[in-house]
Amino acid sequence: KLATVESLVKGRDYREAKRLIGEILYKAPDNTDAQHWLDRINEEEKRLRQDLEQARKAADAARSAGDYSAVYSVWKEIDAKYTGLPEVQSELAVAAREKQVFEQVRSREGASRKARELQGTGDLNGAIAAWAAHLAAYPDDETALQSHEKLTASLAASEKAERLSAMQASALQLAKTGDLEGALVLWEGHLLKEPSWEEASRQVKELRQTIAQKTKTQRFDESRTKVAALLAAGDLRGAIGIWEMLAAHYPDITEARDHVVKLRGQLAEQERQTIAQDVERIAAKINERVTAGRYRSLDSRVSGAVGKSLEAARAALTADIAALTRARAAMGTGFKEAEATLARHAEELARSNRE
C-alpha cells in the first residue's frame, strides 16, 4: 500500500493517498513510513494552496490591468510546476482564451487605426492590406471581415469611377476630333465588361443614333453630288438609280422619293420627245415621197395605208408615248409595204420590157 501511496502522491492524487494512509495507520498506528507520507502530503497540499493563491492574486491583478499576456504567463508557470493538475489546466485554458481574444482585439484596433490613416491619404489598397494582414492571423474575425469587404467594395467603386472618368475623357476627345466610331468602340468595350452600366448603355445608344444620322446625311450629300454629275452628262436613268438606292435604304428621306418621281417624269418626256422626233422624221420622209407622187402608181389599198399612217403620226405628235410608239410602228409598216410594192412593180416592168 505504501508503494501505491507513493504513486498517488507523485500524481498529486492526495485524497486517495490519504485514504490509503488512513487504512494503514488504522491497522498500524506506529507506522512511521505512513506518517512520513502523510506529513509530506500535508506539506505539498499546503505549498500547492499557497502557490495557487499567489497565482490567483497575480492573475487577478494582471487581469485588472488588462495585461492578459501576464495572466497567461502566471498560469503557464504554475502549469509547468504542477503539470497535469486539472484546476491549473482549467485556469490556463481560460487565460489562453482571454489572451487570444485580447491579442485579436489589439490586432484589430491596430489594423483599424492603420487602415483609417491610409484611407485618409487615399490609399485604399494600403488600407485593405492592413485588414488583410490582421485577417491572416485571425480569419474568423467577423468585424474585421466586414471592414475588409466594405473597403474592397469602396475600392472597386472608386476604380470603376476612375475608369469611367478616363474612358469618358478619351471618348469625348475622339468625338471632338470627329471619330465617333472610335468613341463608340470604347463605350461598347466597357459595356461588354459591365452590361449593367447604365451610363455606358446610354452613351452607346446615343452614339449609334448620331453615327446613323451622320451616315445618312453623308449618303444624301454624296447622292446629290453624283446625281448632279449624271444630270450634267444627261444620264437621267443613272440619276434615278442613285435616288432609288438611297430611298430604298432610307425610306424616311422623302426628298429622295420626290426626286425619283420628278426624274422619271423627265425621262418619260425625254423618251416621248425622242419618239416624236422619229415620228416627225419618218412622216416628213413619207410625205416628201407622197408629194412627189412616188406612190401614185400603187393600188389604193397600199397608198391608203401610207396616207393613214401619216394621219396617225400627225395626231400622235401631241399624244402620250404609247400613242407615239404605235404611230411610229404603223408608219414603219406602211412605209416598208409601200416601198416593197414599188420594188415589185419595178421588177415586173423591167421583166416586161426585156420580153
Side-chain angles (χ1 to χ4, degrees):
K1 287 187 176 180
L2 287 174
T4 302
V5 168
E6 182 179 3
S7 177
L8 289 171
V9 171
K10 288 181 178 180
R12 294 191 182 84
D13 189 353
Y14 299 129
R15 183 186 299 276
E16 183 62 20
K18 282 183 176 182
R19 187 185 68 78
L20 287 177
I21 291 173
E23 291 179 357
I24 295 172
L25 291 175
Y26 179 76
K27 294 179 180 180
D30 297 328
N31 190 320
T32 56
D33 290 333
Q35 189 62 50
H36 169 73
W37 280 110
L38 180 60
D39 293 341
R40 179 175 172 176
I41 289 172
N42 290 334
E43 182 64 29
E44 285 190 11
E45 281 187 320
K46 179 181 178 181
R47 188 164 57 249
L48 174 60
R49 286 194 298 271
Q50 290 174 346
D51 287 346
L52 287 176
E53 183 63 25
Q54 290 177 357
R56 288 191 180 94
K57 289 181 180 179
D60 289 343
R63 189 176 284 111
S64 297
D67 190 354
Y68 293 96
S69 293
V71 174
Y72 178 78
S73 296
V74 168
W75 289 112
K76 186 70 175 176
E77 183 179 345
I78 293 297
D79 181 61
K81 189 173 182 180
Y82 298 101
T83 305
L85 192 64
E87 186 176 355
V88 175
Q89 288 290 309
S90 177
E91 292 287 355
L92 182 62
V94 171
R97 179 57 183 164
E98 287 178 335
K99 177 175 178 289
Q100 181 184 17
V101 171
F102 172 73
E103 289 176 349
Q104 178 174 324
V105 171
R106 184 171 59 183
S107 175
R108 182 196 304 145
E109 290 174 349
S112 178
R113 182 170 53 255
K114 185 175 181 180
R116 284 196 304 271
E117 292 174 356
L118 292 168
Q119 191 173 358
T121 64
D123 186 4
L124 288 178
N125 282 308
I128 291 172
W131 280 116
H134 168 77
L135 286 169
Y138 304 99
D140 297 328
D141 190 338
E142 290 294 331
T143 302
L145 277 171
Q146 291 175 4
S147 296
H148 182 269
E149 290 172 357
K150 184 178 179 180
L151 274 177
T152 301
S154 297
L155 177 62
S158 176
E159 290 176 344
K160 178 178 177 179
E162 289 177 1
R163 290 197 307 272
L164 175 60
S165 178
M167 198 274 300
Q168 281 180 321
S170 299
L172 180 61
Q173 183 61 34
L174 288 171
K176 284 182 177 180
T177 61
D179 187 4
L180 296 179
E181 288 77 8
L184 178 61
V185 168
L186 283 179
W187 281 111
E188 287 178 332
H190 283 272
L191 187 59
L192 284 174
K193 296 176 182 176
E194 299 184 53
S196 61
W197 200 346
E198 293 182 1
E199 176 63 15
S201 179
R202 184 183 67 80
Q203 289 288 347
V204 166
K205 182 179 179 180
E206 290 183 0
L207 278 170
R208 285 175 178 171
Q209 291 174 345
T210 302
I211 291 171
Q213 182 60 42
K214 180 182 177 182
T215 302
K216 182 168 74 171
T217 301
Q218 289 176 340
R219 287 282 300 276
F220 180 78
D221 292 340
E222 290 171 359
S223 297
R224 189 160 47 189
T225 301
K226 291 178 181 177
V227 166
L230 289 168
L231 290 178
D235 186 359
L236 280 174
R237 291 186 183 279
I240 291 172
I242 294 296
W243 286 123
E244 283 179 334
M245 283 192 295
L246 185 66
H249 196 74
Y250 298 104
D252 59 317
I253 302 182
T254 56
E255 187 175 347
R257 298 200 304 271
D258 293 341
H259 280 305
V260 169
V261 173
K262 179 181 177 182
L263 289 176
R264 280 178 177 169
Q266 292 179 3
L267 179 61
E269 179 59 25
Q270 187 182 74
E271 291 177 343
R272 199 194 75 81
Q273 290 293 336
T274 299
I275 296 174
Q277 290 173 3
D278 285 346
V279 170
E280 288 179 345
R281 179 179 55 78
I282 296 171
K285 186 174 182 180
I286 294 174
N287 187 59
E288 179 184 350
R289 295 190 177 191
V290 169
T291 302
R294 181 176 177 83
Y295 306 120
R296 196 174 296 158
S297 61
L298 301 178
D299 61 44
S300 58
R301 184 180 61 82
V302 176
S303 60
V306 172
K308 287 181 180 180
S309 66
L310 283 173
E311 292 175 3
R314 294 189 185 98
L317 287 175
T318 57
D320 60 19
I321 190 170
L324 279 169
T325 302
R326 290 193 297 272
R328 182 172 62 178
M331 283 194 300
T333 301
F335 178 71
K336 289 178 180 178
E337 185 178 348
E339 290 297 318
T341 303
L342 280 175
R344 287 197 301 273
H345 284 190
E347 185 178 343
E348 291 173 358
L349 179 61
R351 187 171 56 251
S352 175
N353 288 334
R354 285 195 300 271
E355 292 175 352

